[in-house]
Amino acid sequence: MQLVVEARGLHKHFGALHVLKGVDLLLAERELVFVIGPSGSGKSTLLRCLNRLEEPSSGTVRVDGVDLLDPRTDINHARQRIGMVFQSFNLYPHMTALGNVTLALRKVAGKSRGEADELGRAALARVGLADRAGHTPGQLSGGQQQRVAIARAIALEPRVMLFDEPTSALDPELVGSVLGVMLNLRESGMAMVVVSHEMGFARNAADRVLFMDEGVIVEQGTPAAIFEAPAHERTRAFVGKIQRH
Amino acid sequence: MSNWERFVETFFNAKVMAKYLPDIAYGMLITVELAALVIISGLAAGLALALLRSLGLRPVNLLIVFVVDLFRALPPLVIIVFIYFGLPSVDLSPSGFVSTWLSLTLVLMAFSEEIFWAGITSIAKGQWEAARSTGLTYGQTLMNVVLPQALRLTIPPLTNRTIAITKGTALGTVVAVSEILGMASSAVSNSYNPSPLTLGALAYLILFFPMVVFGRWLETRMAWKR
């Protein structure tokens, strides 16, 4: 089986704080892994190690066969293959939606302005925002902003998408539109790692759910296994807590 | 002669004003030249230092902070006098014009570096992360994402500071630069009448009032919706 992400033995220290204590994450093509865990469990740090926004203290990370921690690796080239979506969208406020999507196409992928615009519009169409290309982030709702952020990542045709709590900054009525886009992406076969608390989405879309606590993966399994019959007491307690909401 | 007539005779003497108008106009030309050069070189040097500082090289940054603090602390007039009267002792003899230009450039560089730097650091970390995660290099992120946003934020404080420092061109009169104030002062000594000073003040208003208005316009134009 072809692995898209192959992270092994990841450790991360922030000063005296040991945030990741030997984490392995393997992701196959077309697979969606859903990561849950209490705040401070290291799930965001794990995600950020997968595109080296965070430098792991030790361990290995391979994405699409490329060793991200090898000093000879061109990290900027490798990052094109790894899309990332953030909790707070992080759109560029001085650019239009199309400008946000095309910046990396032009500067990193080396497309001409015409080509980039065409690809950018196609990406915006995939997230249902073809008619918002000329709007600036300030003129868009939170849900629309997050969909532009997804378009910005998928325009580069990544091999894997990383989602860091993509819906937790959104008003409840806007969550659905973002999850809908993620579901479409999933159906198109995109490999995804999703850190989130959207249990309904996990049930529908995840191949595997991974429960993290205090820097380790406590247990992993199918959504049904983790949500209905968790093996560990810590998992049971956490799942019980979030399902009561 | 009433007090009022004496006042007008002293400060608004039409004959004297007409005689020295060409001198003041020439002074304006020198002031504009000097001011333009100071603005261009001062802001360019300040931005260059801020960009250099953003690389995060510790020894370089310590040096930048020291130089910037030095020129923010020294009165511009002291720097002018130091360069004009001090440098000839090491066989450099800058003219009054060059001394004034260099001094004000250094001062504007120092203040604008701090303003540019504050603008760059005020851009949220998420902007850097989003850009870097799409493969943009450090430099591309700085130039395309961070700096355009930072520059907008810096415009109001930058315009104020630039105007304040550019008005310092009047200090050139101490080292015999024939800018507005220099021309007006010598006209006063030649005519035994202060009216040329009134002309000089008018000349400064003509030059700097539009700058103030321009700064205000730029401020509103550069605002964008969050």
Side-chain angles (χ1 to χ4, degrees):
Chain A
M1 190 169 50
Q2 174 70 38
L3 287 177
V4 180
V5 175
E6 189 180 352
R8 292 185 194 272
L10 286 184
H11 283 263
K12 177 65 187 179
H13 298 265
F14 288 113
L17 211 61
H18 198 173
V19 182
L20 291 182
K21 302 169 183 167
V23 173
D24 294 342
L25 178 73
L26 307 179
L27 186 76
E29 261 181 284
R30 309 182 75 88
E31 196 182 15
L32 192 153
V33 166
F34 198 84
V35 185
I36 58 172
S39 113
S41 58
K43 49 194 196 306
S44 279
T45 305
L46 169 62
L47 206 63
R48 294 159 59 84
C49 282
L50 300 183
N51 68 352
R52 239 179 88 188
L53 273 188
E54 222 61 85
E55 199 78 37
S57 307
S58 64
T60 59
V61 180
R62 286 178 169 278
V63 174
D64 204 18
V66 176
D67 182 352
L68 289 197
L69 303 182
D70 187 329
R72 284 165 300 181
T73 298
D74 177 356
I75 186 66
N76 297 314
H77 188 262
R79 278 178 177 151
Q80 281 185 76
R81 320 295 284 155
I82 313 168
M84 189 164 200
V85 173
F86 302 84
Q87 179 175 355
S88 47
F89 328 137
N90 299 345
L91 291 183
Y92 316 133
H94 59 302
M95 294 182 187
T96 61
L98 187 62
N100 269 272
V101 177
T102 53
L103 180 64
L105 284 171
R106 290 190 288 121
K107 303 288 174 184
V108 185
K111 310 280 185 201
S112 71
R113 188 174 278 276
E115 275 178 297
D117 279 359
E118 202 172 307
L119 292 168
R121 284 181 196 282
L124 285 173
R126 275 184 79 183
V127 300
L129 291 174
D131 56 338
R132 295 288 190 274
H135 289 54
T136 58
Q139 299 166 322
L140 299 172
S141 74
Q144 291 171 332
Q145 289 190 49
Q146 191 60 299
R147 282 146 69 195
V148 172
I150 294 173
R152 174 170 67 183
I154 60 174
L156 292 162
E157 295 180 6
R159 299 277 289 132
V160 56
M161 284 286 290
L162 312 175
F163 288 87
D164 190 3
E165 309 212 15
T167 56
S168 16
L170 293 176
D171 291 334
E173 77 271 20
L174 302 176
V175 168
S177 67
V178 171
L179 293 181
V181 166
M182 290 170 64
L183 216 50
N184 283 341
L185 205 55
R186 155 92 190 119
E187 276 155 17
S188 75
M190 178 72 73
M192 293 159 74
V193 183
V194 181
V195 171
S196 166
H197 296 296
E198 299 290 342
M199 296 302 144
F201 177 81
R203 279 210 183 78
N204 286 334
D207 295 297
R208 198 154 35 109
V209 176
L210 204 145
F211 173 65
M212 281 187 78
D213 195 15
E214 294 178 358
V216 295
I217 295 175
V218 176
E219 83 176 279
Q220 51 182 311
T222 61
I226 297 293
F227 294 142
E228 318 308 340
H232 286 74
E233 182 49 41
R234 278 194 281 177
T235 318
R236 207 169 302 142
F238 180 77
V239 169
K241 242 182 274 173
I242 52 174
Q243 279 183 338
R244 246 176 280 129
H245 282 294
Chain B
M1 209 193 271
S2 72
N3 280 344
W4 174 249
E5 282 166 341
R6 195 170 299 126
F7 175 77
V8 171
E9 173 75 21
T10 310
F11 289 99
F12 297 90
N13 190 318
K15 246 175 75 188
V16 176
M17 279 181 165
K19 184 175 175 200
Y20 290 101
L21 188 63
D23 285 5
I24 303 293
Y26 176 78
M28 261 177 100
L29 202 70
I30 300 293
T31 296
V32 168
E33 256 181 68
L34 191 53
L37 286 174
V38 166
I39 292 172
I40 292 168
S41 51
L43 293 183
L47 183 59
L49 281 192
L51 292 178
L52 188 62
R53 190 171 170 186
S54 81
L55 293 178
L57 310 167
R58 217 179 138 67
V60 176
N61 287 7
L62 285 175
L63 187 68
I64 291 175
V65 170
F66 173 73
V67 169
V68 161
D69 285 354
L70 186 72
F71 286 109
R72 290 199 306 162
L74 285 170
L77 184 55
V78 173
I79 308 172
I80 292 174
V81 169
F82 194 83
I83 289 177
Y84 186 73
F85 296 105
L87 285 192
S89 61
V90 289
D91 281 340
L92 284 169
S93 313
S95 65
F97 185 91
V98 168
S99 302
T100 311
W101 164 74
L102 190 59
S103 307
L104 296 179
T105 292
L106 290 170
V107 174
L108 184 56
M109 171 192 80
F111 278 99
S112 66
E113 188 279 335
E114 280 300 291
I115 295 170
F116 284 129
W117 177 243
I120 289 172
T121 52
S122 73
I123 301 305
K125 207 171 135 236
Q127 293 287 311
W128 283 97
E129 291 183 345
R132 296 304 308 272
S133 79
T134 60
L136 261 65
T137 63
Y138 178 89
Q140 286 172 329
T141 304
L142 188 63
M143 289 305 172
N144 295 285
V145 174
V146 175
L147 212 50
Q149 297 181 56
L151 290 184
R152 287 177 196 231
L153 294 172
T154 58
I155 280 168
L158 210 53
T159 340
N160 287 333
R161 188 51 79 174
T162 303
I163 291 168
I165 291 169
T166 315
K167 282 189 294 191
T169 48
L171 296 171
T173 185
V174 173
V175 288
V177 180
S178 41
E179 46 71 64
I180 297 173
L181 184 60
M183 294 307 270
S185 308
S186 54
V188 169
S189 351
N190 292 335
S191 64
Y192 305 106
N193 181 295
S195 293
L197 270 181
T198 312
L199 265 187
L202 213 62
Y204 279 114
L205 273 184
I206 291 170
L207 288 186
F208 286 99
F209 199 74
M211 266 178 80
V212 175
V213 174
F214 174 70
R216 199 181 286 283
W217 173 79
L218 214 55
E219 214 172 292
T220 42
R221 214 189 84 101
M222 285 297 192
W224 79 96
K225 282 182 189 151
R226 280 262 176 203

